[in-house]
Amino acid sequence: MKNQLIVKILNNIADILELQEVPFKPIAYRRAAQSIESLSEDIADVYERGELEEISGVGRNIAEKIAEIIETGKLKYYERLKREIKIDVEGLNNIPNLGPKKIKALYNILRVKNVEDLEKALREQKVRRLPGFGEKTELLLLQGIEALQKRPSRFLYLHAIPIVEMVKKNLARYDFVKRVEVAGSYRRGKETVGDLDFLVVSSQPAMVMDVFTKMKDVTEVLAKGGTKSSIRLSNGMQVDLRVVQENEFGSALLYFIGSKEHNIELRKIALKKGLTLSEYGLFSLKTKKKIAGKSQEEVYQKLGLRFIEPELRENKGEIYAARQGKLPTLVTAKDIKGVFHNHTTWSDGHNSHLEMAQKAEELGFKFMSFNDHFGHVGITNQLTEKRLGKYLQEIEKVQKKVGIRVFNGVEIDILKDGSLPLSASKLSKLDVVIASVHVALTMKEKEMTKRVCHALNKYPINILGHPFDRILQEREAIALNLDKVFETAQKHNIFLEANSSPKRMDLPGESIKAGLEAGCKFALSTDAHHLSHLPYYFLGVNMARRGWLEQKHLLNCWSLGKIEKALQK
Ligand code: DGT
Ligand code: CA
Ligand code: CA
Ligand code: ZN
């Protein structure tokens, strides 16, 4: 959907033209932008119908420009203006409370060309002296720049949860709100979300718009129209909301859950059947009659497909599987009988073995495994051969005090040369051996792959821990040839980890799917360092579902007897 992009470009053009003191034109561009802002449908659809010029304020000239943006995602005229003006209007316009008049004054008097210049001028307290600015504006602009710099481009799934709950709660308490559902990447269980997308059924859209844009935590209203609005919250998260009719709720959900790639495929299938699919419903091309739209199930059915779970909707083979009746029966949180990879005060965790095990029992698990760090100097309080005996005794004691099976084990470092700091014979006596890369992360792909595969080939390992070793928003994944790693793990019956730690989410769903296709099996872990981390195992379930996993592929779903057998080394 390019409406927002087009609005932004048209407004930026207006600003540039105003800075260049071109008469009248800025007003025309702004008027067009305003109409598009309040458009209740995708402008691409208007364009396809050849009706751009029917939008109020859009004449031949602007219509051509809009068409160019829809077709190419860019506008040559705009690019040229940007080059001419030498002022980064786009960047400056992102700062709240800064409009074209102020940008002009800043340039004319202080030669401010971009956000960097502005920040410098603000810090040197030069801005307050400009006519129409003052100390208060200076502070506001500085705060705006700081907020922009802090704003992450994507959010951890875990951090999106309270926002989703907050929006739902704020809306659901009104009688005129019949239904609220979250869609988008969040609904597909993606590891991170760009923004949140909500759908609401209501016969009073204007009231919904008011309530939504006036929620307590809203710092900026990005757009407010008759049936859709976008806001920004204090943490920088953008939330889009759209009101639809009950009889189009299914097709609207389908559209806004996405992914875009999945939607495009569905539209193609519709066309082949002489139908057309949009967020408003599934229609006959010939008679224009509506065929489905109330529920997602109905739309899929009319397209000749089984219902596809949102986590699978990435156009990665799910549509073919749905047509063949071969969709996987995805694992659910209820199927998880226990979790691997938990840390305690014996290494860098915050709780004792007993506290962790009791919490696991309280959560309804049937087993858990302890895998405190063993290895390399550098990890806080790591286990050593000398401490290992006492550590194992402690776990044995805890086993007698709780009603769940407690597996012992370690998370051992894969050293630079692919060796592990404990012998194979000693490792084979432990219940669960997880091997992970924690140090020397910058190796080239070939070397790193050799290192990991060497460990998998030579040692009795049960689980390859967090294979990417990435920290979301902080550290990129290590360079690995996944095909080779998957092949080696599969050969030795080594499980690949689905690590549920919110900042790891490792392997992510799409790589789990690749591993599955290579014949690998998986183990879900919490990587908990505190008992409050244990409930986050559901994040791993999201990943497993996005990776097409069924119970038979995920060790955590098996019976204890089968798990013990699978862990034998
Ligand atoms: P995000 O927010 O980056 O994590 O990812 P999404 O998938 O939530 O993407 P978003 O918020 O831009 O749009 C929400 C859904 O709306 C998306 O999953 C599918 C639908 N959608 C958005 N733009 C288009 C489009 O241009 N064409 C089609 N067919 N669907 C779109
Ligand atoms: Ca989204
Ligand atoms: Ca969105
Ligand atoms: Zn680790």
Side-chain angles (χ1 to χ4, degrees), residues 166-227:
M166 182 275 287
V167 174
K168 278 189 179 166
K169 211 174 106 200
N170 264 291
L171 295 168
R173 58 188 165 155
Y174 296 97
D175 307 338
F176 54 82
V177 172
K178 264 201 168 152
R179 268 182 96 165
V180 193
E181 294 261 4
V182 60
S185 52
Y186 181 89
R187 185 66 173 262
R188 305 197 307 281
K190 225 174 152 177
E191 288 78 16
T192 58
V193 300
D195 67 6
L196 290 172
D197 308 276
F198 281 88
L199 273 186
V200 166
V201 174
S202 172
S203 49
Q204 281 163 283
M207 306 265 271
V208 178
M209 295 296 107
D210 278 345
V211 171
F212 177 64
T213 52
K214 287 187 184 139
M215 289 185 311
K216 223 168 60 206
D217 196 34
V218 174
T219 55
E220 208 181 333
V221 177
L222 302 167
K224 188 178 174 192
T227 56

Side-chain angles (χ1 to χ4, degrees), residues 78 113 149 206 209 227 281 329 376 405 487 546 559 566:
Y78 176 49
K113 289 203 199 94
Q149 286 164 345
M209 295 296 107
T227 56
T329 307
H376 198 268
R405 174 80 165 93
E487 188 192 314
R546 289 177 58 77
S559 70

Side-chain angles (χ1 to χ4, degrees), residues 1 154 184-185 188 192-195 197 255-260 263-264 267:
M1 189 123 135
R154 298 186 69 79
S185 52
R188 305 197 307 281
T192 58
V193 300
D195 67 6
D197 308 276
Y255 182 87
F256 287 105
I257 288 176
S259 65
K260 187 174 160 186
N263 290 347
I264 290 171
R267 286 187 183 196

Side-chain angles (χ1 to χ4, degrees), residues 208-459:
V208 178
M209 295 296 107
D210 278 345
V211 171
F212 177 64
T213 52
K214 287 187 184 139
M215 289 185 311
K216 223 168 60 206
D217 196 34
V218 174
T219 55
E220 208 181 333
V221 177
L222 302 167
K224 188 178 174 192
T227 56
K228 61 184 187 181
S229 294
S230 287
I231 53 153
R232 191 170 313 277
L233 300 173
S234 60
N235 66 353
M237 173 78 92
Q238 182 180 326
V239 186
D240 299 340
L241 181 141
R242 193 187 261 235
V243 178
V244 297
Q245 303 288 316
E246 190 139 39
N247 64 2
E248 62 193 26
F249 191 59
S251 46
L253 252 186
L254 197 58
Y255 182 87
F256 287 105
I257 288 176
S259 65
K260 187 174 160 186
E261 291 71 21
H262 179 85
N263 290 347
I264 290 171
E265 279 311 299
L266 292 184
R267 286 187 183 196
K268 281 192 203 155
I269 293 176
L271 285 177
K272 274 190 206 143
K273 291 183 180 296
L275 307 169
T276 168
L277 177 64
S278 70
E279 58 262 55
Y280 306 104
L282 184 66
F283 300 87
S284 156
L285 272 173
K286 234 201 238 138
T287 65
K288 309 271 179 228
K289 234 183 83 188
K290 189 161 180 170
I291 290 171
K294 201 164 177 189
S295 75
Q296 299 185 72
E297 284 81 356
E298 185 188 45
V299 176
Y300 277 122
Q301 197 214 336
K302 290 279 163 35
L303 292 175
L305 303 171
R306 302 274 172 90
F307 178 80
I308 300 173
E309 300 280 359
E311 292 91 334
L312 298 180
R313 299 182 193 171
E314 301 289 348
N315 192 27
K316 294 276 162 65
E318 74 279 9
I319 291 174
Y320 179 77
R323 196 185 290 125
Q324 305 288 316
K326 285 190 178 141
L327 284 166
T329 307
L330 298 179
V331 294
T332 67
K334 282 203 307 286
D335 304 329
I336 303 298
K337 298 201 170 82
V339 288
F340 297 96
H341 194 162
N342 295 290
H343 297 273
T344 70
T345 47
W346 279 79
S347 66
D348 59 351
H350 293 278
N351 292 98
S352 67
H353 287 120
L354 184 62
E355 286 166 330
M356 293 291 276
Q358 283 170 336
K359 178 73 186 179
E361 189 169 7
E362 192 189 304
L363 287 171
F365 289 142
K366 302 251 180 317
F367 76 88
M368 82 181 307
S369 85
F370 286 111
N371 301 84
D372 273 302
H373 288 288
F374 188 106
H376 198 268
V377 220
I379 286 174
T380 327
N381 190 32
Q382 81 280 8
L383 290 170
T384 57
E385 266 197 84
K386 212 169 132 208
R387 291 176 66 215
L388 191 61
K390 282 242 165 72
Y391 167 80
L392 296 174
Q393 279 171 19
E394 178 69 26
I395 295 176
E396 242 182 84
K397 268 193 247 161
V398 169
Q399 175 65 90
K400 293 197 181 104
K401 290 185 190 160
V402 293
I404 62 172
R405 174 80 165 93
V406 180
F407 292 114
N408 69 39
V410 294
E411 180 188 19
I412 192 160
D413 276 357
I414 302 177
L415 301 178
K416 225 171 152 176
D417 61 357
S419 68
L420 305 186
L422 192 65
S423 71
S425 66
K426 285 184 180 141
L427 284 172
S428 61
K429 294 198 181 82
L430 302 173
D431 295 333
V432 181
V433 175
I434 300 177
S436 317
V437 170
H438 287 123
V439 289
L441 305 176
T442 54
M443 283 182 166
K444 294 252 155 46
E445 182 181 302
K446 213 168 146 196
E447 244 185 313
M448 186 64 94
T449 306
K450 205 172 136 200
R451 167 185 177 183
V452 171
C453 290
H454 178 85
L456 298 179
N457 277 321
K458 295 285 184 238
Y459 293 89

Side-chain angles (χ1 to χ4, degrees), residues 100-119:
K101 282 207 186 72
K102 286 205 172 80
I103 293 178
K104 196 167 165 182
L106 285 163
Y107 179 73
N108 285 343
I109 305 172
L110 298 173
R111 293 283 138 193
V112 165
K113 289 203 199 94
N114 51 40
V115 181
E116 220 182 329
D117 294 348
L118 177 59
E119 190 180 351

Side-chain angles (χ1 to χ4, degrees), residues 49-113:
R49 294 198 304 269
E51 291 172 359
L52 280 179
E53 284 178 53
E54 281 169 39
I55 300 173
S56 127
V58 176
R60 174 94 170 270
N61 176 30
I62 293 182
E64 277 169 8
K65 295 196 164 64
I66 295 170
E68 189 183 328
I69 302 171
I70 291 172
E71 278 177 6
T72 68
K74 280 199 302 238
L75 181 62
K76 287 211 182 78
Y77 172 66
Y78 176 49
E79 301 299 319
R80 201 189 76 216
L81 280 179
K82 279 197 289 186
R83 276 196 303 275
E84 276 174 17
I85 184 88
K86 295 189 190 80
I87 302 175
D88 178 15
V89 174
E90 224 170 50
L92 290 168
N93 263 340
N94 283 331
I95 301 169
N97 304 304
L98 191 62
K101 282 207 186 72
K102 286 205 172 80
I103 293 178
K104 196 167 165 182
L106 285 163
Y107 179 73
N108 285 343
I109 305 172
L110 298 173
R111 293 283 138 193
V112 165
K113 289 203 199 94

